[in-house]
Amino acid sequence: MTDTSTSPSTSTQVQLVRRPTGRPVPEDFRTVQIELPPLGVDEVRVANEFLSVDPYMRGRMNDVKSYIPPFALDETMTGGAVGRVVESRAESLPVGTPVRHMLGWRDVAQAEADSFSPVEEIPGASLSAHLGILGMTGLTAYVGLTAIADVREGDTVFISGAAGAVGSAAGQIARLLGASQVIGSAGSAEKVTVLTGKYGYDAAINYKDAPVRDQLPEHVPDGVDVFFDNVGGDHLEAALDVMNDGGRIALCGAIASYNAERPAPGPDNLANLITRGLRMQGFTLGGYVDHAPEYQRRMAEWFPAGDIPQDETVVDGIENAVEAFLGMMDGANIGKMLVRTV
Amino acid sequence: MTDTSTSPSTSTQVQLVRRPTGRPVPEDFRTVQIELPPLGVDEVRVANEFLSVDPYMRGRMNDVKSYIPPFALDETMTGGAVGRVVESRAESLPVGTPVRHMLGWRDVAQAEADSFSPVEEIPGASLSAHLGILGMTGLTAYVGLTAIADVREGDTVFISGAAGAVGSAAGQIARLLGASQVIGSAGSAEKVTVLTGKYGYDAAINYKDAPVRDQLPEHVPDGVDVFFDNVGGDHLEAALDVMNDGGRIALCGAIASYNAERPAPGPDNLANLITRGLRMQGFTLGGYVDHAPEYQRRMAEWFPAGDIPQDETVVDGIENAVEAFLGMMDGANIGKMLVRTV
């Protein structure tokens, strides 16, 4: 089972050394090179191809009780990654197997076989799809639109952060679920063009042009039935203004506040929840992973060829992972932000 | 069918003459005396015994689109009332029939019979129960706890404005639905005593003693599963701090803001909805009146004798209706605030 001919003996890893205050800075992290011990029984060594950098990781850099424990200081950060087994002492994962795992910020991962899940190799597609539309990202969009926001035939759906990883998936899935109008927000003219040109949004607004609250109403003359929120702050307030009676709001993220040093006040129009009978529900994927088979089944119907319009923004090199993360927090990406480690 | 011997020929009514800015003042209203025309076919005349003054009426004094149209200027305000038929040209409602209706702020109401619903006379109880625990007030509490917040066996439930009409009903109903801990907030030491002494609350806080956010945590060491909110503002923010994962928030009212002249910012911890997977849903009773038969069935099980601990705060005289309304907005009542018109 073991083939060590192409197996790297060291692993370059990124660790958190200091809890950031506000926007993280490079000094909050360090890159280390680890000499890997020989494989133990049932262990495998995986050469990563792509790491995922995600907004939720900002929360894990703080030392607060949350749905997922904080990153430990001076230990390698964890997160989604895909790669291939390069050395194996586990029958279930022979050398060459493409896998997805949560060992994150390192170019080579080594652990017991059950830390890794084999994934399907899609002809002509990168393994990175398993971090994006076919992975947690796509499932998050699907769960938010179905289990949380209950998108129905004919709904008008507004998605904030629509050019991001989850947002760009959500817009397309909303349409497939029967939404009649899909409107998105993003932070550049280029992104707005991608939203309407590539992802099939009916309209898109650049939130840097003018306050969202001023821009949104003209694009949704009949109001909004479902709001899928990745941003929070001004976007949530703007959406609450235009929600229709009985509307549903899925709170997936609040990237606007993740770097905040102190809590910011919430929207000034929450009372609309009462007068319009709105439901607002937050979620993280942890409680909904059992929706994965259903999602995979729907995706196989929608995109039998696996040919899903999507973008990736790729930064090369594990040594640039922090830069990729910070760029993603600033909106530098279209679609999924990834670090390529081969 | 007609017995005019005890039928009044005039009706004293309260009208809105000016839309209030902030807290209403007596000058926003006027009291008029109307000479009643003879009954038309199918019409009845009802001598009211009690009028209901409710927080939602403040919203109707503003000229804004909402789930219920604003009060018209220079017309008599509408709202819940109970009384007895004193003159009738409708076979369905003979003289003496106790009725509930929505013609509100007047001591005598006259209209077609289908504007009035006959109610059951409960031996030893006042008709006013049909405005309170057996009426919209009780149903609002029940719907909020069941259809909206899904109270379950063993839940810890926090209720704001717990000594008010809906709040005092909600506390008792929560317990009957299986809540293991019920905590309430109110605005005076006297109310706090009533909550724990009479309504069976496990603990109660006086929100005038110190910020709710500071007081609440010690009373809910294991967190809150359901928050039934009548107040909004600081209460919602305090509850969001202590909600357990998967908690549910029913937004029934936001009396803290009803007199606000400009919108106030919302809670600074809405992101807890995401990290804790919380659901927050607003409601008004309009969409849930079909729950009335279920509620009546449950109440008949819970209180077969109709003997439900409750309070009423009664102000005498239609001419004091505005004062009663303003007092209710300021928290002068324990339980339902009523105006007695006989």
Side-chain angles (χ1 to χ4, degrees):
Chain A
M1 291 297 296
T2 302
D3 168 5
T4 58
S5 61
T6 60
S7 179
S9 61
T10 60
S11 170
T12 302
Q13 312 189 344
V14 180
Q15 304 185 329
L16 186 70
V17 295
R18 190 175 69 182
R19 306 216 172 270
T21 302
R23 186 177 188 277
V25 292
E27 294 69 31
D28 297 325
F29 307 88
R30 75 167 162 228
T31 302
V32 297
Q33 199 173 50
I34 307 278
E35 201 70 30
L36 293 167
L39 284 185
V41 175
D42 279 332
E43 284 191 338
V44 298
R45 188 172 294 170
V46 168
N48 285 334
E49 296 190 2
F50 292 95
L51 316 178
S52 180
V53 288
D54 300 287
Y56 79 88
M57 293 172 170
R58 178 63 189 84
R60 295 197 66 191
M61 294 174 189
N62 300 330
D63 188 18
V64 292
K65 176 175 171 285
S66 185
Y67 66 102
I68 186 169
F71 289 123
L73 287 184
D74 300 320
E75 291 191 15
T76 301
M77 293 190 295
T78 53
V82 287
R84 273 171 221 280
V85 177
V86 289
E87 190 179 340
S88 174
R89 291 190 65 189
E91 282 189 28
S92 59
L93 292 179
V95 168
T97 309
V99 294
R100 176 165 58 194
H101 62 92
M102 287 301 294
L103 295 174
W105 299 55
R106 63 194 86 201
D107 61 354
V108 180
Q110 177 169 322
E112 295 213 333
D114 62 8
S115 297
F116 303 90
S117 306
V119 294
E120 197 188 343
E121 189 114 39
I122 296 166
S126 159
L127 279 188
S128 60
H130 292 288
L131 295 176
I133 191 80
L134 299 179
M136 268 180 41
T137 298
L139 183 57
T140 297
Y142 180 76
V143 162
L145 291 166
T146 55
I148 307 297
D150 189 20
V151 167
R152 301 164 198 164
E153 198 81 32
D155 276 350
T156 295
V157 178
F158 173 49
I159 298 170
S160 66
V166 170
S168 60
Q172 298 180 74
I173 295 173
R175 178 81 71 192
L176 292 162
L177 290 168
S180 63
Q181 292 281 313
V182 183
I183 293 92
S185 73
S188 75
E190 183 196 359
K191 289 179 180 178
V192 162
T193 303
V194 171
L195 289 181
T196 53
K198 184 170 183 179
Y199 296 138
Y201 279 75
D202 295 286
I205 58 178
N206 178 352
Y207 64 80
K208 291 183 180 163
D209 280 350
V212 190
R213 203 169 201 174
D214 296 342
Q215 292 189 72
L216 184 57
E218 69 181 285
H219 294 291
V220 292
D222 299 320
V224 166
D225 302 299
V226 164
F227 174 42
F228 188 110
D229 191 16
N230 297 300
V231 177
D234 59 341
H235 280 76
L236 178 55
E237 195 167 65
L240 282 167
D241 275 351
V242 296
M243 293 301 292
N244 289 329
D245 289 358
R248 288 87 62 204
I249 297 173
L251 298 183
C252 176
I255 199 167
S257 65
Y258 289 171
N259 281 336
E261 297 190 35
R262 61 183 65 87
D268 66 13
N269 49 359
L270 269 186
N272 288 354
L273 288 173
I274 303 176
T275 54
R276 303 184 192 179
L278 307 179
R279 187 179 77 208
M280 180 154 85
Q281 186 167 354
F283 74 107
T284 58
L285 197 55
Y288 299 89
V289 285
D290 58 325
H291 290 244
E294 172 190 319
Y295 173 59
Q296 284 153 12
R297 203 162 52 239
R298 300 297 293 271
M299 286 301 277
E301 284 165 25
W302 290 328
F303 298 104
D307 181 22
I308 303 153
Q310 55 170 324
D311 285 285
E312 292 176 346
T313 302
V314 175
V315 170
D316 273 300
I318 180 71
E319 68 279 11
N320 295 316
V322 169
E323 184 194 311
F325 173 77
L326 296 176
M328 181 275 304
M329 291 295 288
D330 293 340
N333 54 309
I334 296 184
K336 185 78 181 174
M337 178 67 109
L338 295 164
V339 179
R340 181 157 45 201
T341 51
V342 284
Chain B
M1 291 296 295
T2 302
D3 168 8
T4 59
S5 61
T6 60
S7 181
S9 60
T10 61
S11 172
T12 303
Q13 310 189 346
V14 180
Q15 303 185 329
L16 186 70
V17 294
R18 188 174 70 182
R19 305 216 174 270
T21 302
R23 186 176 188 279
V25 293
E27 294 70 32
D28 296 326
F29 307 88
R30 75 166 162 228
T31 302
V32 297
Q33 200 173 50
I34 308 278
E35 201 70 32
L36 294 167
L39 285 185
V41 175
D42 279 331
E43 285 191 337
V44 297
R45 188 171 293 172
V46 168
N48 285 333
E49 296 190 2
F50 292 94
L51 317 178
S52 180
V53 289
D54 300 287
Y56 80 87
M57 293 171 169
R58 178 62 189 85
R60 294 196 67 191
M61 294 173 190
N62 300 328
D63 188 19
V64 292
K65 175 175 172 285
S66 186
Y67 66 102
I68 186 168
F71 289 123
L73 287 184
D74 300 319
E75 291 191 13
T76 301
M77 292 190 295
T78 52
V82 286
R84 274 171 219 279
V85 177
V86 289
E87 191 178 341
S88 174
R89 291 190 66 190
E91 281 189 28
S92 59
L93 292 180
V95 168
T97 308
V99 295
R100 176 165 59 195
H101 61 93
M102 288 301 293
L103 295 173
W105 299 55
R106 63 193 88 201
D107 61 353
V108 181
Q110 176 169 324
E112 294 212 332
D114 62 8
S115 296
F116 303 90
S117 306
V119 294
E120 196 187 343
E121 189 115 36
I122 297 167
S126 158
L127 279 189
S128 60
H130 292 288
L131 295 176
I133 192 79
L134 300 179
M136 267 181 41
T137 298
L139 182 57
T140 298
Y142 180 76
V143 163
L145 291 167
T146 55
I148 307 297
D150 190 19
V151 167
R152 300 163 198 165
E153 198 80 33
D155 276 350
T156 295
V157 178
F158 173 49
I159 298 169
S160 65
V166 171
S168 60
Q172 297 180 75
I173 295 173
R175 178 80 71 192
L176 293 162
L177 291 168
S180 63
Q181 292 280 314
V182 184
I183 292 92
S185 73
S188 75
E190 183 196 0
K191 289 179 180 178
V192 162
T193 302
V194 170
L195 289 181
T196 53
K198 184 170 184 179
Y199 296 138
Y201 279 76
D202 296 285
I205 58 178
N206 178 351
Y207 64 80
K208 290 184 179 162
D209 281 349
V212 190
R213 204 169 200 173
D214 297 342
Q215 291 189 73
L216 184 57
E218 68 181 285
H219 294 292
V220 291
D222 299 319
V224 166
D225 303 298
V226 164
F227 174 42
F228 188 110
D229 192 15
N230 296 299
V231 177
D234 59 342
H235 280 76
L236 178 56
E237 195 167 64
L240 282 166
D241 275 351
V242 296
M243 293 301 292
N244 289 329
D245 290 357
R248 289 87 61 205
I249 298 174
L251 297 183
C252 177
I255 200 168
S257 65
Y258 289 169
N259 282 335
E261 297 189 36
R262 61 184 65 87
D268 66 12
N269 50 359
L270 268 186
N272 288 355
L273 288 172
I274 303 175
T275 54
R276 303 183 192 179
L278 308 178
R279 186 179 78 208
M280 181 155 84
Q281 187 167 352
F283 74 107
T284 57
L285 198 55
Y288 298 89
V289 286
D290 58 326
H291 290 244
E294 173 190 319
Y295 174 60
Q296 284 153 12
R297 204 163 52 240
R298 299 298 292 272
M299 286 302 278
E301 285 165 24
W302 289 329
F303 299 104
D307 181 22
I308 302 153
Q310 55 169 324
D311 285 285
E312 291 177 345
T313 302
V314 175
V315 170
D316 273 300
I318 180 72
E319 68 278 12
N320 296 317
V322 169
E323 183 194 313
F325 174 76
L326 295 176
M328 181 274 304
M329 292 294 289
D330 293 340
N333 54 308
I334 295 184
K336 185 77 179 174
M337 179 67 110
L338 295 164
V339 179
R340 182 157 44 201
T341 51
V342 284

